[in-house]
Amino acid sequence: MAKLVFAMHVSLDGYVDHMELGPPVPGVFRHFVQQVRGLAGLVYGRRMYEIMRYWDDDLSEWGAEERDFAAAWRSQPKWVVSRASKSVGPNATLIEGDLEAAVRALKAQHSGEIQVGGPELARSLTDLGQIDEYQLYFRPVVLGQGKPYFAGPRPPLRLTTSERIEDVMKLTYVPA
């Protein structure tokens, strides 16, 4: 049975704006390459999926690490939750119906970690009791605005691990 994990970069004041946070330092980027390689798949909301589709293209300015991440990301199955989209890109499946039933089926059909991308989708899945773990990668930046990591009320959580990865502090929580 797979575990559903909501993992994102987050500013010290709780925001997840990837444009404002900027790219991670090389060691953190390598951590994410390895993490994505080890996933059972990724579940995205439409907006986050559209942002991540950046990795579907090969850009000439990319270095080896970006190419590694793109290859790892492309190889993973992706499930996109959307009422507005009619189609999705390579290695992706559209989820249009009952979100809870679809996620329960994914968890039953796979083993390992399925990562959730996007705070709004994570809120919906939290409300349904489907998120098994929250991984917050705190970056040493204060944004003062943007999309919060928790799009709704913060669920009761219990800290299970902490890890420093260069300038990032990764805190892992499970529902309390």
Side-chain angles (χ1 to χ4, degrees):
M1 172 140 251
K3 175 169 62 169
L4 206 60
V5 177
F6 176 42
M8 287 192 80
H9 292 274
V10 61
S11 66
L12 293 176
D13 54 346
Y15 296 105
V16 296
D17 187 322
H18 73 284
M19 295 302 285
E20 295 296 323
L21 284 169
V25 297
V28 175
F29 195 83
R30 283 190 299 276
H31 169 84
F32 283 112
V33 172
Q34 292 303 317
Q35 181 192 46
V36 168
R37 277 191 187 127
L39 293 174
L42 302 122
V43 178
Y44 291 116
R46 180 189 53 81
R47 285 185 297 273
M48 184 59 68
Y49 177 67
E50 288 171 359
I51 290 168
M52 293 302 292
R53 295 250 1 233
Y54 168 82
W55 298 105
D56 274 338
D57 298 320
D58 283 315
L59 301 180
S60 59
E61 65 267 17
W62 284 355
E65 289 179 341
E66 287 90 355
R67 286 183 191 5
D68 284 348
F69 184 85
W73 187 82
R74 288 178 199 145
S75 72
Q76 293 299 340
K78 292 167 261 317
W79 299 276
V80 182
V81 178
S82 176
R83 286 180 231 115
S85 298
K86 297 300 173 215
S87 66
V88 290
N91 209 16
T93 303
L94 190 60
I95 296 175
E96 298 176 276
D98 181 344
L99 176 60
E100 184 174 12
V103 168
R104 284 185 188 278
L106 288 175
K107 289 170 81 172
Q109 294 166 3
H110 298 276
S111 60
E113 289 187 7
I114 297 174
Q115 193 172 83
V116 174
E120 286 88 12
L121 177 59
R123 178 187 182 172
S124 296
L125 292 169
T126 295
D127 291 347
L128 294 170
Q130 293 300 306
I131 303 279
D132 300 299
E133 189 173 282
Y134 299 83
Q135 295 176 357
L136 290 84
Y137 288 83
F138 281 98
R139 303 270 302 276
V141 177
V142 174
L143 297 179
Q145 62 182 0
K147 285 193 178 277
Y149 179 91
F150 290 103
R154 186 181 59 80
L157 300 173
R158 180 176 53 81
L159 179 67
T160 59
T161 62
S162 62
E163 175 185 3
R164 184 175 175 184
I165 308 163
E166 290 198 24
D167 69 339
V168 168
M169 194 67 193
K170 176 186 176 188
L171 301 179
T172 302
Y173 292 88
V174 296

